[in-house]
Amino acid sequence: MHTSSPRPCGQQGGTRRALRHAIGATVTVSAAVVALVTPAAAADAAPHNPSSNSSGAAGPDTTTTHAGATTARERNRIDAYWSPERMKLAGALVPEITPIPEDDNTPDDPRPLPANTPDSGSVWTHGGAVNKNVGRLFFTFSDGYDGSCTATVVTSGNRSTVVTAAHCLRGVGAPSADDTWNHNFYFVPGYRNGTKPLGGFSIRTMATSSRWDADPDTTESSDVAAAGYDAGLLVANSAAWGQPIADITGSQHIGFGQPVENEFIHALGYPNAGLNDSGDKYVGSRMIHCAGASHPGPKAPVLWGETCDMSPGSSGGPHLAHFDTRTGTGTVVGITTTTEELAGGPTPTLYATRLGDSAHRLYDWAQSR
């Protein structure tokens, strides 16, 4: 998975540190994934076929929810916690000895990117709506270390709905267990070089598929994600003066449908593997853009991706169809889950969980909150 270090954004018990490394990266595919792939997951838009219980094998795919910051005191604590330095180091495996990255001052380019221009990875400099409604999602693992993913404000009835990857929110396990969910969730739309251009938003509540409630002794987080259940929905708290987040940032459309072979897709994210690997150029300072024809992963065909060199930290980022490079608007049809290392295909490829029936259920729940 692609959360805050390299593999899925996992977390849990003795493997928490390894999971932290994965959150920045991708999802691991194992034999257990076969039991999790249902006709609905494979079709991504067909009526859902109930088939999974709390062990991740059989029973209905339902919604599992979790409360976030529900009091003013908690919201204020989280806002104060995420200082510029802490945000810049989120995703570092050993933040105590990791240098604070320098700002990325790549100049902005007011000219729109020509339509259908392939891009394997570059700083997004062309402005538009994505500079306001896509941002960095910060959180703290149960071991006390911080991580980050990417998230997007989407059009919704409550004007407060944000979409990201489920593996950025939790690992597999009992929803009531203290170490299943991450903590201190904080979304910074338009994040840039440690700043909060439009403010920061704590999260009131969140939801994933119940497939994540599986027994961690028999099912890996990567299995659930690679089976097509890696969508996570968040409900952001309003700004201090009561304004819903979408009224401040605007929003991207969200779509639930069948993937189209070779459809031209734009992906955005905040990769940050460079915090832990000098060979990686991304440290989470700026939003990165990729674009190209989409295709299914040979090892995980329910995941679809494009040529892209984004690293961990990009997990949860939007894959946008019908993207207008002049306005920076499109339709979120998928969220970043993993790379070719786990889903197969040519190097480099960034794969998304395409949004289908399971994600639609989560979205309906979130926008009604």
Side-chain angles (χ1 to χ4, degrees):
M1 289 148 78
H2 249 71
T3 37
S4 70
S5 306
R7 247 149 241 247
C9 186
Q11 42 246 336
Q12 225 127 339
T15 63
R16 196 76 177 189
R17 199 174 189 82
L19 284 173
R20 284 199 286 111
H21 186 67
I23 240 175
T26 34
V27 170
T28 303
V29 181
S30 80
V33 79
V34 177
L36 289 167
V37 178
T38 66
D44 207 347
H48 210 77
N49 186 14
S51 57
S52 161
N53 62 18
S54 61
S55 68
D61 167 28
T62 58
T63 299
T64 294
T65 66
H66 184 69
T70 57
T71 67
R73 182 178 181 180
E74 183 67 358
R75 294 195 296 271
N76 291 337
R77 183 194 67 76
I78 291 173
D79 185 69
Y81 179 84
W82 290 108
S83 64
E85 178 177 316
R86 191 178 291 277
M87 290 191 296
K88 287 184 176 184
L89 289 176
L93 289 176
V94 190
E96 298 88 346
I97 61 172
T98 302
I100 296 175
E102 296 182 4
D103 290 350
D104 184 331
N105 294 313
T106 302
D108 290 327
D109 184 354
R111 298 170 298 177
L113 184 71
N116 296 329
T117 300
D119 184 359
S120 62
S122 63
V123 175
W124 177 256
T125 60
H126 303 282
V130 289
N131 267 357
K132 295 182 177 181
N133 43 48
V134 178
R136 236 176 132 180
L137 177 67
F138 298 95
F139 48 82
T140 303
F141 294 99
S142 64
D143 64 3
Y145 284 88
D146 298 321
S148 76
C149 282
T150 305
T152 308
V153 181
V154 291
T155 301
S156 63
N158 61 5
R159 307 193 308 283
S160 302
T161 300
V162 178
V163 65
T164 188
H167 77 259
C168 298
L169 307 183
R170 62 176 295 189
V172 290
S176 60
D178 288 341
D179 64 351
T180 295
W181 298 86
N182 296 328
H183 311 281
N184 291 332
F185 286 102
Y186 194 64
F187 178 57
V188 180
Y191 175 91
R192 181 167 176 158
N193 292 328
T195 66
K196 308 173 186 179
L198 299 169
F201 298 81
S202 58
I203 301 302
R204 185 167 73 250
T205 187
M206 64 203 76
T208 69
S209 164
S210 59
R211 299 298 173 91
W212 288 86
D213 302 347
D215 182 350
D217 290 335
T218 60
T219 305
E220 299 284 341
S221 294
S222 54
D223 298 328
V224 185
Y229 297 99
D230 200 22
L233 271 294
L234 309 167
V235 180
N237 282 309
S238 297
W241 54 92
Q243 195 171 17
I245 188 172
D247 288 359
I248 299 169
T249 65
S251 59
Q252 296 290 334
H253 294 298
I254 187 168
F256 308 90
Q258 198 88 358
V260 177
E261 184 78 42
N262 292 320
E263 181 178 17
F264 200 85
I265 297 291
H266 293 255
L268 295 158
Y270 284 88
N272 61 8
L275 291 172
N276 306 306
D277 179 2
S278 59
D280 191 281
K281 60 185 178 182
Y282 301 127
V283 293
S285 299
R286 296 280 294 275
M287 185 165 63
I288 305 303
H289 168 260
C290 291
S294 187
H295 54 82
K299 295 180 182 178
V302 298
L303 306 180
W304 287 65
E306 306 80 50
T307 299
C308 183
D309 68 358
M310 280 196 230
S311 58
S314 62
S315 280
H319 288 233
L320 295 148
H322 315 300
F323 184 69
D324 186 337
T325 57
R326 298 167 301 171
T327 62
T329 57
T331 299
V332 180
V333 295
I335 51 88
T336 294
T337 294
T338 189
T339 64
E340 79 289 333
E341 181 182 358
L342 297 168
T347 303
T349 304
L350 190 70
Y351 287 97
T353 294
R354 294 291 292 232
L355 305 181
D357 186 66
S358 181
H360 202 167
R361 181 181 299 109
L362 299 175
Y363 169 76
D364 287 344
W365 174 88
Q367 71 165 341
S368 69
R369 290 319 187 254

